[in-house]
Amino acid sequence: MNFLLRSFALSLLATSGARAVGVARGQIKNFVTFGDSYTDIVNVGDGGTAWPVYASGYSDIALFPFAKSGATCSNNITFRPFPSVFESQLPAYFEEVSNGSLKLKPEETIYTLWIGTNDLGESALLTGDAVGFLPNVTNCMVDWVKVLYENGARNFVFQNMIPLELTILYSATGYFTKFWTFPRNSTEWSVFMNELVLTGNEETLLKLEALLPHIPDAHVAHFDSHGLFQDMFNHPSEFLNGTAPLNVTGCVNSCVFQVNDPNNSVCTLVNGTDRDSYLWFDELHPSEQADRIVAREMALVMEGKSSLWATWLS
Ligand SMILES: *[C@@H]1O[C@H](CO)[C@@H](O)[C@H](O)[C@H]1NC(C)=O
Ligand SMILES: *[C@@H]1O[C@H](CO)[C@@H](O)[C@H](O)[C@H]1NC(C)=O
Ligand SMILES: *[C@@H]1O[C@H](CO)[C@@H](O)[C@H](O)[C@H]1NC(C)=O
Ligand SMILES: *[C@@H]1O[C@H](CO)[C@@H](O)[C@H](O)[C@H]1NC(C)=O
Ligand SMILES: *[C@@H]1O[C@H](CO)[C@@H](O)[C@H](O)[C@H]1NC(C)=O
Ligand SMILES: *[C@@H]1O[C@H](CO)[C@@H](O)[C@H](O)[C@H]1NC(C)=O
Ligand SMILES: *[C@@H]1O[C@H](CO)[C@@H](O)[C@H](O)[C@H]1NC(C)=O
Ligand SMILES: *[C@@H]1O[C@H](CO)[C@@H](O)[C@H](O)[C@H]1NC(C)=O
């Protein structure tokens, strides 16, 4: 839509008294996170401080963390012995609400979900090891909004999946890592992963939009992690600021698995201010600087300001 048309549409919305889109500035006092190692603040994936801790600091919004490393959306669909969103994280949250240890006012609280890396990846959809399929996973992701809404939640940020084919584990040029030590065709992995992520992200957006009429008074933001990480990959100098040459293909903590000598991975660790030159921390996880960028943009969304990477759907 061009600018004039867009402003016209927006002013029509305003004059027709349509329901406000998004949260108001200063409305949100708390955020509750769900997800995997990209969001876990204890078992941190980026080698430093996780994005929710930065986002809380940048925005002065209190953090209530439920995301856990290794998680998938539901172990019914992609079985992995880790605390999934549906069988572990949501039950933990509901338990704290019902026993009175967590008292959050719905209008002051926003819920975030960043999930999918483990659902789509090795030992799951990518390698044919899941019980269900991509549509099951995307239903599950969107059901997270529905289930929380039915229990009183009103404000949500849905973070879509990053271009996982750009991580070393899933790239066409990826080496053997501790994450996957069996033979694989890395070209096929990257092609298939790209398809899974793009299709999955499109499905969740369509399914979220279809859910909106059923969740009146909810505010749902769609956070385009995919676009943000693709932009960091394409234009690293706009985001990365370390003291080493900027690097979006290697990682801070690389371990090259030796096929003929499996107990002897050759590891290299980048230290200090050089780390902020990297997009990836290891073969699967974003770096701390990438996470600061995620935090900065997520803070803007939660504060009711605008982020280039987020769209309020309602
Ligand atoms: C998982 O399976 C159990 C047992 O069939 C069922 O009760 C539960 O609702 C399922 N969870 C999801 C998220 O589908
Ligand atoms: C409420 O449940 C949580 C999670 O199981 C537990 O950690 C906490 O101690 C419980 N609080 C009370 C007051 O029972
Ligand atoms: C996946 O979705 C299909 C089609 O809706 C359904 O028949 C199947 O039971 C689902 N599988 C799981 C594991 O949820
Ligand atoms: C890997 O897959 C690509 C794409 O299907 C194919 O062109 C290539 O020949 C395969 N490589 C090997 C070693 O099988
Ligand atoms: C990126 O980092 C990796 C790991 O530290 C290194 O092997 C590689 O040479 C670097 N690439 C560039 C383009 O600097
Ligand atoms: C690697 O280490 C394990 C446990 O320490 C040992 O059982 C195994 O034999 C070792 N493998 C090789 C190839 O040295
Ligand atoms: C980074 O620090 C580790 C641990 O102190 C050290 O082993 C490693 O050599 C350092 N890396 C570089 C590139 O200096
Ligand atoms: C890079 O920028 C972040 C803010 O995004 C800052 O916290 C960090 O200290 C900077 N890193 C370096 C090496 O200057």
Side-chain angles (χ1 to χ4, degrees):
M1 214 184 304
N2 73 32
F3 177 74
L4 272 179
L5 263 178
R6 201 184 162 87
S7 345
F8 181 65
L10 285 175
S11 62
L12 266 185
L13 270 179
T15 50
S16 67
R19 190 161 55 84
V21 167
V23 297
R25 285 218 182 178
Q27 178 186 335
I28 299 301
K29 306 274 191 283
N30 319 297
F31 74 116
V32 184
T33 55
F34 294 87
D36 53 29
S37 55
Y38 285 12
T39 303
D40 190 332
I41 69 161
V42 177
N43 199 347
V44 181
D46 70 10
T49 299
W51 75 262
V53 175
Y54 279 118
S56 182
Y58 295 164
S59 63
D60 214 15
I61 296 175
L63 165 65
F64 297 87
F66 287 85
K68 292 282 188 303
S69 286
T72 58
C73 188
S74 167
N75 280 334
N76 287 10
I77 303 167
T78 34
F79 181 75
R80 287 167 57 98
F82 290 98
S84 67
V85 172
F86 266 84
E87 288 78 34
S88 172
Q89 299 174 26
L90 282 169
Y93 165 78
F94 289 132
E95 163 97 18
E96 290 192 25
V97 169
S98 71
N99 75 11
S101 62
L102 198 60
K103 289 192 179 108
L104 303 172
K105 292 188 183 146
E107 67 278 13
E108 295 183 350
T109 306
I110 198 160
Y111 295 80
T112 72
L113 176 69
W114 197 8
I115 195 77
T117 296
N118 298 311
D119 306 73
L120 267 51
E122 45 86 1
S123 308
L125 291 183
L126 181 70
T127 51
D129 295 312
V131 181
F133 300 91
L134 187 59
N136 302 94
V137 172
T138 55
N139 281 346
C140 177
M141 291 171 170
V142 172
D143 279 348
W144 167 85
V145 175
K146 200 165 128 195
V147 166
L148 281 167
Y149 179 89
E150 283 162 0
N151 285 274
R154 288 296 175 267
N155 306 306
F156 305 91
V157 188
F158 187 97
Q159 299 164 269
N160 76 2
M161 297 178 282
I162 69 167
L164 284 165
E165 76 283 359
L166 300 180
T167 67
I168 296 162
L169 178 57
Y170 298 122
S171 79
T173 53
Y175 49 80
F176 280 100
T177 73
K178 59 179 175 288
F179 297 107
W180 186 261
T181 57
F182 307 108
R184 75 198 191 281
N185 184 325
S186 51
T187 305
E188 286 181 352
W189 268 31
S190 73
V191 169
F192 188 24
M193 184 50 97
N194 190 14
E195 289 286 346
L196 284 172
V197 168
L198 290 177
T199 308
N201 283 346
E202 190 156 322
E203 283 182 12
T204 49
L205 182 54
L206 291 169
K207 289 173 183 182
L208 280 173
E209 282 167 346
L211 177 65
L212 296 178
H214 306 286
I215 54 169
D217 300 322
H219 295 299
V220 180
H222 181 259
F223 187 88
D224 185 13
S225 318
H226 191 277
L228 175 57
F229 275 78
Q230 188 70 57
D231 204 31
M232 288 198 264
F233 184 86
N234 294 345
H235 307 286
S237 64
E238 290 171 25
F239 302 97
L240 305 177
N241 58 345
T243 41
L246 302 185
N247 191 318
V248 296
T249 51
C251 62
V252 168
N253 180 20
S254 67
C255 283
V256 183
F257 184 84
Q258 308 293 298
V259 180
N260 301 321
D261 185 10
N263 291 344
N264 236 338
S265 278
V266 175
C267 297
T268 316
L269 193 62
V270 174
N271 298 313
T273 52
D274 282 359
R275 287 190 173 194
D276 291 350
S277 297
Y278 284 75
L279 177 58
W280 307 112
F281 173 66
D282 61 18
E283 291 85 3
L284 181 59
H285 296 91
S287 68
E288 187 171 24
Q289 179 55 20
D291 275 348
R292 288 192 194 101
I293 304 294
V294 171
R296 182 185 77 195
E297 299 301 316
M298 285 293 287
L300 289 173
V301 180
M302 298 190 294
E303 288 172 315
K305 298 173 182 167
S306 77
S307 161
L308 207 62
W309 307 105
T311 309
W312 286 101
L313 304 177
S314 63

